[in-house]
Amino acid sequence: LAKTTQPISMDSYEGQEVNITCSHNNIATNDYITWYQQFPSQGPRFIIQGYKTKVTNEVASLFIPADRKSSTLSLPRVSLSDTAVYYCLVGERYSTLTFGKGTMLLVSP
Amino acid sequence: DVKVTQSSRYLVKRTGEKVFLECVQDMDHENMFWYRQDPGLGLRLIYFSYDVKMKEKGDIPEGYSVSREKKERFSLILESASTNQTSMYLCASTAQGTTEAFFGQGTRLTVV
């Protein structure tokens, strides 16, 4: 399983765009990149998944460069309710889900 | 609304007790997982199952066992609870060939 590295924490203000970058230098050909969000005392929630280039849904965008050695989760115009831990996972769709320690995003007024 | 349900939200058990944590999913998913989450350590995989009666060890299986007799139910068993098993336990499921997991609400277990 490819190892991922992401910042331990990030701070932002309401209304700003937040970009969280994840490094995964040894990503394999069959690996997908998946992001989860976790609020306190709740289980993680799937946000977005991609293989290459850009993926967008109603919650976020995921940017993946051509070499796929990193990815960036972009949250447009964050609000206080986006305060959470964000996890980047890399692996085959048939593999287990290995979570790292994630990035704690704190959004302030 | 898809759902993964864990039998208890909070549980307090004594050292040495046998503890059962139950998880049920209603999405006909093939894969089910048990994690524990501790401050500063993130989510760590205990066991997972990719089919009925099939199980695989995760990263920290010591002191735990699992049972999957029916597709929708995955049980985590603490054979003899110890204080270092005090933690938040999370169950999840995925369909075959996907990484979109659905998690239960978690069980906060305290072993005294």
Side-chain angles (χ1 to χ4, degrees):
Chain A
L1 293 172
K3 179 178 168 59
T4 60
T5 303
Q6 48 183 128
I8 294 173
S9 63
M10 293 182 69
D11 295 320
S12 183
Y13 294 96
E14 281 190 293
Q16 289 189 335
E17 178 184 76
V18 171
N19 296 308
I20 306 174
T21 296
C22 179
S23 298
H24 27 80
N25 290 319
N26 59 340
I27 189 169
T29 303
N30 294 331
D31 286 345
Y32 282 72
I33 300 157
T34 311
W35 285 80
Y36 283 81
Q37 174 192 57
Q38 186 180 25
F39 298 113
S41 301
Q42 294 186 25
R45 182 177 73 104
F46 172 91
I47 302 176
I48 197 166
Q49 180 184 84
Y51 184 79
K52 62 180 179 181
T53 63
K54 176 184 173 182
V55 180
T56 297
N57 62 22
E58 64 278 4
V59 176
S61 294
L62 178 60
F63 298 92
I64 305 168
D67 65 6
R68 304 202 324 126
K69 292 184 183 298
S70 67
S71 59
T72 299
L73 176 73
S74 180
L75 304 172
R77 297 178 300 281
V78 293
S79 64
L80 297 177
S81 62
D82 291 315
T83 292
V85 178
Y86 292 83
Y87 297 94
C88 165
L89 282 68
V90 173
E92 294 186 38
R93 289 187 295 175
Y94 290 91
S95 70
T96 59
L97 302 174
T98 300
F99 287 79
K101 297 181 182 179
T103 297
M104 174 65 219
L105 172 65
L106 176 62
V107 180
S108 301
Chain B
D1 197 21
V2 296
K3 198 171 282 187
V4 177
T5 303
Q6 295 182 225
S7 53
S8 303
R9 191 80 173 93
Y10 299 95
L11 211 52
V12 180
K13 295 292 181 181
R14 295 193 181 278
T15 301
E17 277 193 79
K18 190 168 186 176
V19 181
F20 293 86
L21 302 182
E22 306 285 345
C23 176
V24 177
Q25 51 95 2
D26 63 1
M27 295 163 282
D28 202 35
H29 283 172
E30 290 80 10
N31 305 318
M32 297 188 75
F33 306 82
W34 274 107
Y35 294 87
R36 64 177 282 178
Q37 185 169 31
D38 303 286
L41 296 178
L43 281 84
R44 293 181 290 168
L45 181 64
I46 305 171
Y47 267 97
F48 67 97
S49 169
Y50 53 89
D51 201 352
V52 175
K53 296 190 184 295
M54 306 302 287
K55 61 185 179 183
E56 295 285 343
K57 293 180 180 179
D59 299 318
I60 50 164
E62 296 79 19
Y64 303 94
S65 62
V66 289
S67 172
R68 192 165 181 203
E69 296 297 318
K70 294 185 178 181
K71 190 176 185 180
E72 67 271 18
R73 186 180 297 270
F74 192 35
S75 303
L76 179 69
I77 304 155
L78 286 67
E79 298 290 343
S80 178
S82 64
T83 54
N84 63 13
Q85 292 178 310
T86 291
S87 186
M88 170 70 88
Y89 290 87
L90 290 158
C91 173
S93 70
T94 65
Q96 192 71 284
T98 76
T99 57
E100 182 176 355
F102 294 85
F103 279 81
Q105 77 279 24
T107 296
R108 188 165 294 281
L109 172 68
T110 302
V111 182
V112 298

